[in-house]
Amino acid sequence: MITTALRNALRGRGTETALLCHTGAGARAHLDGLPLTDSDAILDLDARVLGEPVKLQGVWERDLGPEAGLVAVVAATTTDLHRSLTAAAGLPRAVQVVVAILDTTGHQEPPLPASPGMGQWRDLQEARVRRVGRRGWLCELFFPNGVETPQVLDAIWSGTRGRRRGPAVAPLAALSGPEAALWRPGDTGAHGVEPAGPVPLRRVTPVGDLALRVGDDTPPGWTDAAVPVLDRRTTSTDAWERIAAPGGGASVRESADPVAEVAPIDELTVNPIGFTKHGDAHWGDLTAADGRAVIRQGKKDLVVVPPDGTITDVDLGRLRHLRGVRVDWSGHGGPTAAVRAVASLAAGGVPLVGGSVPAWAAGLGAPLIDLLLGTTEEDLADPLRREEYSVRLRRVALRTHGTRSRWRTLGARAGVPVPPAPTVSVILCTRRPEMVGFALAQIARQRGVDIEVVLTLHGFPATLPEVAAAIAGFEATGLPLVVREADADRIFGSVLNDAVARTSGDLVSKWDDDDWYGPDHLADLVLARTYSGAELLGVGQDFVYLQEVDLTLWREGRSESSSRFIAGGTILTDRAVLEETGGFRPVPRSIDTQLLIAVMRGGGRIYRGHGLGYVLRRTGGGHTWSEDMAFFLRNRIQQWFGWHPSALLEGEPEPFGRPVTEYTGGLR
């Protein structure tokens, strides 16, 4: 179908120039045998050197720049398409744009493009989106007058994620050299520059705040005094064959910060979405075969790792059934490529074991290396231990090697200010004075996020001795706290909206007074916000403590996926989303469910992260969400007598104002 569509497009463009592009493994084959003219061209976006112009014959020179009759992009996966958005900078405008995605993981939305919003597509003549095979897609757009090609590619890719793009990558970048797109995947605003500079101006302002040059050789002197520059080497610079070659001159370069020398991971496509709780008994091996790095199960190659170490979303999908992957440190093209491959697998939540980690893999970073050194195959035989390890891996890898983290590091190194991380306002509304100290202790131990708390005492005063003691204990931590009182007859939904009105954070998190939360609960949700494309996030009731019968359940249920339901006490969302949905409904019960319905009705996405850092407590009554005990006993994977949370909960903090045993009923 792809070849047929391209043939038809070439016939329909008349005498106008066509540019056919490809990205990712196997994409080039779909361009073979097409009826091209002398003015047509085929471009490998993966090999494109940013800063060098795309030279085409016979294109129309319009007021807004060169214009081709057809620009087509064949991408192997959505990861490849996203990376190509950066390499697409400088492509000509086009009357017709064709985009083919050969394979997807299945958890993405259809690539339905949305118009940019400034009238650029008002004269769109026709748009077609069709499936290709089981999981591929073909998109064709026709315009009477040419449009910006990178903008069309971006709109198609963004259709796979929903409306929300996630936090921006800062600072703005100017890029030069081969593999520069690896450092800034998906950035249609990145500009190519010549190796010596300068960075172009848009009116009187440089188009980038930081320039990054990627190459194999010593770069020329930098000529732009206004924009700082950093230099990095390509992944092929330290390939083993170059290091070993007589007189090759290449070496494993030592650095004070080896992590910052490695091209980052595209967390918008390489992430734990699609992780499965139950891997089978099979293992994969990241090793060498026939001169290339592969991930092999028995005699079957599940993934072929390209020379630059890129792992795609489709690659991760092919590995989800495995219990884990063993890393053979001798089976890679070179140190940098090996680090990128291993870090990508970890970011995807693939359980890894590797024994002794060689010194040349220091670019993984000490925290990730420590995890690899401390885990064996036997540790992963238990499904709960396997998922706990997966969560630890993905946390470290995404925070260390994600594109957003890497560019904040680069900006700091170059002295370029970056926007602050989002702040989180926690709203806690309780009718139970005896639970205030317990709940505040759960919040106080949150780490990795900048938080404030808005505490609403629903029907009782702050002067009660146990409440005053709890508040004083929390204030001693130095965390911001706003305390307000609400009359007992106020409707719960209205009380929550009043609390939201008193927050000042970028994000709002709802907290329950009697549940348990691990110290990374909020940080994990904020991290998931960067890659999920969701308007609202939370976790499921994976762990439930049934207090009446003193029983802990680990329940079946998908995590790291879009979902219609999450635990209400784990909601995290943007303040703007609450405004768009009307906030919490002024009703006494099912407040959380009503908010989820409002988000979905508005076209938003709800994302369920892992639930290992949260335990839902169920007592005999007093809950705004009513389900009997049988509901929680269904679909359980394991159960234990007593309080038995995941290790990621890291125990239980002592409540402020009272001993812990007065709150847990002697659980310890």
Side-chain angles (χ1 to χ4, degrees):
M1 180 182 290
I2 293 174
T3 303
T4 300
L6 292 175
R7 286 181 181 275
N8 292 337
L10 288 168
R11 293 191 188 100
R13 55 66 190 266
T15 60
E16 301 170 27
T17 298
L19 175 62
L20 308 180
C21 309
H22 60 94
T23 175
R28 174 64 176 83
H30 292 268
L31 305 181
D32 292 337
L34 294 174
L36 304 181
T37 67
D38 292 339
S39 62
D40 297 335
I42 293 178
L43 177 63
D44 182 354
L45 292 175
D46 296 336
R48 193 185 164 208
V49 178
L50 292 185
E52 295 182 0
V54 177
K55 297 179 180 179
L56 295 174
Q57 301 177 7
V59 293
W60 292 354
E61 292 296 335
R62 303 289 196 180
D63 293 338
L64 296 176
E67 181 177 304
L70 168 66
V71 173
V73 175
V74 180
T77 68
T78 48
T79 297
D80 299 307
L81 178 61
H82 193 230
R83 182 180 63 253
S84 75
L85 301 186
T86 306
L91 296 188
R93 297 167 64 86
V95 174
Q96 180 179 359
V97 179
V98 177
V99 177
I101 307 174
L102 303 183
D103 197 5
T104 64
T105 60
H107 59 65
Q108 297 103 330
E109 299 295 321
L112 297 171
S115 59
M118 293 294 290
Q120 300 98 316
W121 291 13
R122 285 175 184 159
D123 60 352
L124 174 66
Q125 183 176 3
E126 185 178 356
R128 289 186 246 167
V129 178
R130 294 178 283 172
R131 283 193 179 273
V132 177
R134 291 180 56 200
R135 299 191 304 187
W137 292 96
L138 181 66
C139 306
E140 300 172 86
L141 290 88
F142 304 83
F143 300 87
N145 300 297
V147 296
E148 296 288 344
T149 298
Q151 190 178 76
V152 177
L153 301 179
D154 187 30
I156 291 172
W157 181 84
S158 297
T160 66
R161 286 176 50 79
R163 301 181 306 176
R164 189 152 297 246
R165 291 176 175 266
V169 180
L172 290 175
L175 303 173
S176 176
E179 290 192 358
L182 289 181
W183 287 84
R184 196 80 175 197
D187 190 354
T188 57
H191 288 260
V193 296
E194 295 181 358
V199 175
L201 300 178
R202 181 181 290 116
R203 296 184 179 178
V204 296
T205 306
V207 296
D209 300 318
L210 172 62
L212 183 75
R213 300 185 293 186
V214 182
D216 295 338
D217 304 317
T218 302
W222 183 245
T223 61
D224 195 326
V227 178
V229 65
L230 295 175
D231 295 308
R232 293 293 183 270
R233 302 197 299 183
T234 65
T235 56
S236 62
T237 304
D238 62 357
W240 295 125
E241 59 267 22
R242 294 188 62 177
I243 295 173
S251 64
V252 179
R253 181 168 61 177
E254 296 185 0
S255 170
D257 185 6
V259 172
E261 301 290 330
V262 181
I265 296 165
D266 181 5
E267 66 263 48
L268 296 190
T269 62
V270 179
N271 53 56
I273 296 177
F275 175 82
T276 56
K277 292 178 181 289
H278 301 287
D280 60 27
H282 297 98
W283 282 81
D285 292 280
L286 177 56
T287 185
D290 301 324
R292 59 186 183 178
V294 298
I295 301 176
R296 172 171 288 180
Q297 177 187 341
K299 296 182 179 181
K300 180 181 179 181
D301 291 342
L302 301 178
V303 172
V304 176
V305 182
D308 62 12
T310 295
I311 298 292
T312 71
D313 53 343
V314 172
D315 293 335
L316 292 174
R318 292 169 180 159
L319 305 175
R320 291 299 184 199
H321 69 284
L322 298 175
R323 178 175 295 177
V325 171
R326 295 178 288 242
V327 180
D328 174 5
W329 296 102
S330 64
H332 306 278
T336 302
V339 166
R340 292 197 73 237
V342 173
S344 297
L345 293 171
V350 177
L352 302 173
V353 294
S356 179
V357 178
W360 54 257
L364 287 170
L368 189 51
I369 291 174
D370 289 343
L371 285 174
L372 293 172
L373 290 174
T375 305
T376 65
E377 293 184 35
E378 290 74 21
D379 296 330
L380 304 184
D382 177 79
L384 178 55
R385 302 283 88 81
R386 174 180 176 270
E387 185 172 0
E388 290 171 345
Y389 179 54
S390 169
V391 171
R392 293 188 178 105
L393 282 175
R394 66 185 76 155
R395 280 177 183 165
V396 170
L398 289 168
R399 291 169 184 164
T400 304
H401 293 279
T403 303
R404 284 147 186 79
S405 297
R406 181 73 83 253
W407 277 89
R408 293 181 74 89
T409 300
L410 296 177
R413 176 164 296 186
V416 179
V418 295
T423 55
V424 182
S425 295
V426 179
I427 56 172
L428 169 62
C429 178
T430 178
R431 288 185 177 273
R432 296 178 281 199
E434 71 276 9
M435 298 304 297
V436 173
F438 173 85
L440 289 178
Q442 303 287 329
I443 301 172
R445 71 168 178 162
Q446 295 301 299
R447 59 195 179 202
V449 286
D450 185 5
I451 66 172
E452 68 167 5
V453 180
V454 176
L455 169 64
T456 302
L457 309 176
H458 196 182
F460 59 91
T463 54
L464 291 178
E466 65 269 35
V467 176
I471 291 174
F474 184 86
E475 288 177 334
T477 66
L479 295 172
L481 174 66
V482 176
V483 181
R484 55 183 302 274
E485 299 174 6
D487 294 338
D489 59 356
R490 289 286 307 280
I491 296 176
F492 187 37
S494 297
V495 173
L496 289 175
N497 285 329
D498 289 345
V500 172
R502 287 164 173 77
T503 62
S504 62
D506 304 302
L507 310 175
V508 176
S509 175
K510 182 173 174 291
W511 205 272
D512 279 356
D513 62 1
D514 60 345
D515 297 333
W516 290 271
Y517 300 80
D520 292 295
H521 168 72
L522 287 176
D524 284 347
L525 289 178
V526 172
L527 182 63
R529 177 175 173 266
T530 65
Y531 60 76
S532 66
E535 277 75 9
L536 187 146
L537 304 95
V539 305
Q541 301 92 2
D542 289 23
F543 272 84
V544 177
Y545 174 68
L546 301 177
Q547 187 163 303
E548 288 181 287
V549 293
D550 193 20
L551 190 68
T552 302
L553 309 176
W554 182 38
R555 303 174 65 235
E556 185 66 84
R558 295 183 62 187
S559 66
E560 298 294 350
S561 65
S562 296
S563 175
R564 292 180 173 272
F565 186 78
I566 58 172
T570 68
I571 287 173
L572 176 80
T573 190
D574 292 52
R575 295 173 59 87
V577 172
L578 291 173
E579 179 182 1
E580 293 166 359
T581 57
F584 295 96
R585 282 190 63 189
V587 294
R589 306 182 73 86
S590 298
I591 303 98
D592 307 321
T593 301
Q594 294 302 310
L595 178 61
L596 303 185
I597 292 172
V599 169
M600 289 185 287
R601 185 186 298 123
R605 179 179 298 186
I606 298 169
Y607 188 80
R608 179 188 289 182
H610 77 85
L612 302 188
Y614 171 72
V615 178
L616 177 75
R617 185 206 304 253
R618 297 302 293 189
T619 57
H623 298 279
T624 59
W625 175 46
S626 297
E627 292 287 355
D628 59 24
M629 190 181 301
F631 173 85
F632 298 101
L633 289 170
R634 290 195 297 267
N635 299 325
R636 65 188 184 275
I637 304 173
Q638 294 184 38
Q639 66 181 40
W640 304 268
F641 288 110
W643 189 68
H644 193 286
S646 159
L648 297 186
L649 197 78
E650 298 187 16
E652 179 181 18
E654 182 175 342
F656 292 118
R658 283 191 184 180
V660 66
T661 52
E662 296 189 30
Y663 289 86
T664 60
L667 294 181
R668 291 188 171 186

